Amino acid sequence: MSTGPGAASAPAPDGHDDPTAPDTPRRTRTSMFASLKVRNYRLFFAGQVVSNIGTWMQRIAQDWLVLSLTGSSAAVGITTALQFLPMLLFGLYGGVLVDRLRKRPTLLVTQSSMAVTALFLAVLTLTGHVQVWHVYVAAFAMGLATVVDNPARQSFVSELVGRDQLQNAVSLNSANFQSARLVGPAVAGVMITGVGTGWAFLANGLSFVAPLTCLLLMRARDLHAVQRAPRGKGQLREGLHYVAGRPELIWTIVLVGFIGTFGFNFPVFLSAFADDVFDAGAGAYSLFNTLMAVGSVTGALLAARRGTARLRVLIAAALAFGTLEIVAATVPALWLFALLMVPIGLFSMTVNVTANTSIQMSTDPAMRGRVMALYMMVFLGGSPVGAPIVGWVTDTYGARVGFAAGGAVAATAALVIGLVLARVGNLRLSVGWHRGHPRVRFVPRERREELAPAA
């Protein structure tokens, strides 16, 4: 792919670089844990295992503390909004910084600042001096650190494993985070009821020792060198122009924006189904989330086996995700609804991993921080924007209509963007048979006559 913001706007013709290319030779499936053979990535992964569990513990403890201090669900919502607000306001500027800085020292600073914030909240809570505004400040401080930490961690993966194992490493990172989602809340629940909320904050603060130690143990000579952007004016505008000139980037980010804003509001959807539709209470809500996490881990591990990230996989997964949400919205039985959480979690994670990997692989290294910051800003910032909308639809028209509407937006966005990318890539839909099985794919328009059946 051409470098610099003035490159052609059409997708790269090289099949290796272009995820939409229909004639790209199919790679042999890689080992599910191939990137763990790389020492630096193995250290990174091990540190994240501990840190992710601590992060999930803090999320549960933070919400519970605010609720116990105020008795207000609105206050919990304010806390969540404050944690995401810095990404919405400063996310792109964080990407500019990440492109200028070395990733490992940057991560040492951001991870240390998040550890200090968690420990500060732990001290206030354990000494009985905590007030709700302290939690607000801590949530905002965590969000500020995330502005730089998130794109730095995302783009650092390519320096750890290189291009060839990027998809595998991104997939394992997602499996890591979703596995912690199964462990962290459970540990936090036991700790909060057993010894108090403050100890959960303390555990999270101490959990940052693991990633910090692993970052220090990495061998700098084994990192894959990448070009850093020099300090200069107009770099934010340059990053936006870079993305706007590449359909494989801009349309992927647009698709993730629609799905993240309207399809990923699971706290709204699942709590409404557990309480209003099935009248099954918190136990059912917990079951829905657990089964979705199981599907997400499965989806991440399956993605780790694929050697490439293709946009057609992203479009198909997004379409399947939206369709399954519509189907789930109509089922009458609780057990069937619960079972559908597994494939919904699987396809949601396939969308996440494929979009993340395809964007990183299609982006010049000097631009990666800015592009990933824009991606994360759209992905993470969508939920706070969409949650009030889907919440109003759910309250006004019912949980089934709200869930189906979210799925319909996701499926429609996948169809429309898939057709746009096919048109940009000069592709057409081909329906036929291959080795006795139906085959649906996009092929170049100039091959139309070659694929037509002989007279």
Side-chain angles (χ1 to χ4, degrees):
M1 180 175 289
S2 302
T3 59
S9 61
D14 184 357
H16 180 74
D17 289 332
D18 179 17
T20 66
D23 294 323
T24 304
R26 185 171 296 178
R27 294 185 181 182
T28 303
R29 291 197 174 196
T30 185
S31 167
M32 186 174 290
F33 303 101
S35 52
L36 288 177
K37 296 177 183 178
V38 180
R39 179 181 182 274
N40 281 347
Y41 179 75
R42 193 163 59 246
L43 286 168
F44 179 81
F45 186 89
Q48 291 301 305
V49 168
V50 179
S51 182
N52 284 335
I53 292 174
T55 297
W56 279 106
M57 290 175 65
Q58 170 129 346
R59 286 189 181 186
I60 299 300
Q62 178 178 275
D63 291 347
W64 187 259
L65 176 61
V66 172
L67 193 61
S68 63
L69 288 173
T70 65
S72 169
S73 296
V76 177
I78 291 172
T79 308
T80 302
L82 287 171
Q83 195 154 341
F84 283 105
L85 184 61
M87 181 63 74
L88 285 172
L89 296 177
F90 313 116
L92 293 176
Y93 295 98
V96 172
L97 285 175
V98 168
D99 280 337
R100 293 176 180 174
L101 303 172
R102 288 188 298 159
K103 307 300 185 297
R104 188 165 65 141
T106 301
L107 288 172
L108 286 169
V109 172
T110 57
Q111 296 279 297
S112 298
S113 64
M114 288 191 282
V116 170
T117 302
L119 292 173
F120 171 74
L121 199 54
V123 170
L124 288 174
T125 307
L126 291 172
T127 57
H129 294 94
V130 69
Q131 299 178 34
V132 68
W133 71 267
H134 294 142
V135 186
Y136 289 163
V137 171
F140 189 77
M142 283 282 191
L144 284 175
T146 303
V147 166
V148 176
D149 183 80
N150 221 315
R153 277 190 298 109
Q154 297 286 336
S155 54
F156 187 49
V157 174
S158 63
E159 295 187 28
L160 293 171
V161 300
R163 179 186 177 89
D164 290 343
Q165 297 192 57
L166 182 60
Q167 160 114 2
N168 182 262
V170 170
S171 303
L172 290 181
N173 283 352
S174 299
N176 186 330
F177 186 75
Q178 294 299 326
S179 298
R181 182 181 174 184
L182 295 172
V183 178
V187 176
V190 173
M191 189 170 289
I192 291 170
T193 56
V195 293
T197 307
W199 293 98
F201 295 134
L202 179 62
N204 181 45
L206 295 177
S207 74
F208 284 99
V209 172
L212 290 171
T213 301
C214 291
L215 285 168
L216 292 171
L217 290 175
M218 289 179 184
R219 296 171 182 161
R221 65 178 181 274
D222 292 342
L223 295 174
H224 294 255
V226 298
Q227 178 185 356
R228 281 187 286 151
R231 184 183 299 272
K233 294 182 179 180
Q235 290 181 321
L236 176 58
R237 184 171 58 252
E238 182 185 16
L240 293 174
H241 182 68
Y242 178 88
V243 172
R246 287 162 173 77
E248 71 276 21
L249 295 180
I250 186 64
W251 288 111
T252 298
I253 292 174
V254 169
L255 176 60
V256 168
F258 273 107
I259 294 177
T261 301
F262 298 103
F264 276 10
N265 285 288
F266 297 117
V268 176
F269 298 138
L270 301 187
S271 60
F273 266 83
D275 189 34
D276 300 332
V277 177
F278 298 119
D279 194 24
Y285 180 58
S286 176
L287 175 64
F288 297 157
N289 280 280
T290 300
L291 291 174
M292 184 170 289
V294 170
S296 297
V297 172
T298 304
L301 292 177
L302 289 175
R305 297 186 62 191
R306 291 195 296 270
T308 57
R310 299 177 179 177
L311 289 184
R312 64 179 182 230
V313 175
L314 172 62
I315 298 299
L319 182 59
F321 169 77
T323 303
L324 281 169
E325 284 199 335
I326 296 172
V327 172
T330 64
V331 297
L334 185 150
W335 66 269
L336 183 55
F337 181 86
L339 287 179
L340 284 172
M341 292 303 102
V342 176
I344 287 175
L346 187 153
F347 283 110
S348 69
M349 184 52 58
T350 302
V351 169
N352 190 350
V353 171
T354 308
N356 187 314
T357 311
S358 65
I359 286 175
Q360 292 207 50
M361 294 182 71
S362 301
T363 303
D364 295 330
M367 289 282 183
R368 191 166 285 145
R370 279 165 281 183
V371 175
M372 291 309 298
L374 177 61
Y375 168 78
M376 296 308 299
M377 185 181 74
V378 171
F379 183 63
L380 295 178
S383 289
V385 174
I389 299 174
V390 299
W392 175 82
V393 173
T394 300
D395 287 341
T396 305
Y397 300 102
R400 293 190 184 277
V401 173
F403 202 17
V409 170
T412 302
L415 280 173
V416 172
I417 292 173
L419 292 173
V420 169
L421 287 172
R423 185 176 181 85
V424 169
N426 196 31
L427 305 176
R428 62 178 294 273
L429 187 67
S430 170
V431 181
W433 290 85
H434 179 70
R435 296 180 181 177
H437 299 285
R439 189 179 193 182
V440 181
R441 58 176 180 156
F442 285 104
V443 298
R445 292 182 183 277
E446 57 267 22
R447 291 182 56 193
R448 182 172 184 174
E449 294 182 358
E450 298 176 17
L451 293 172

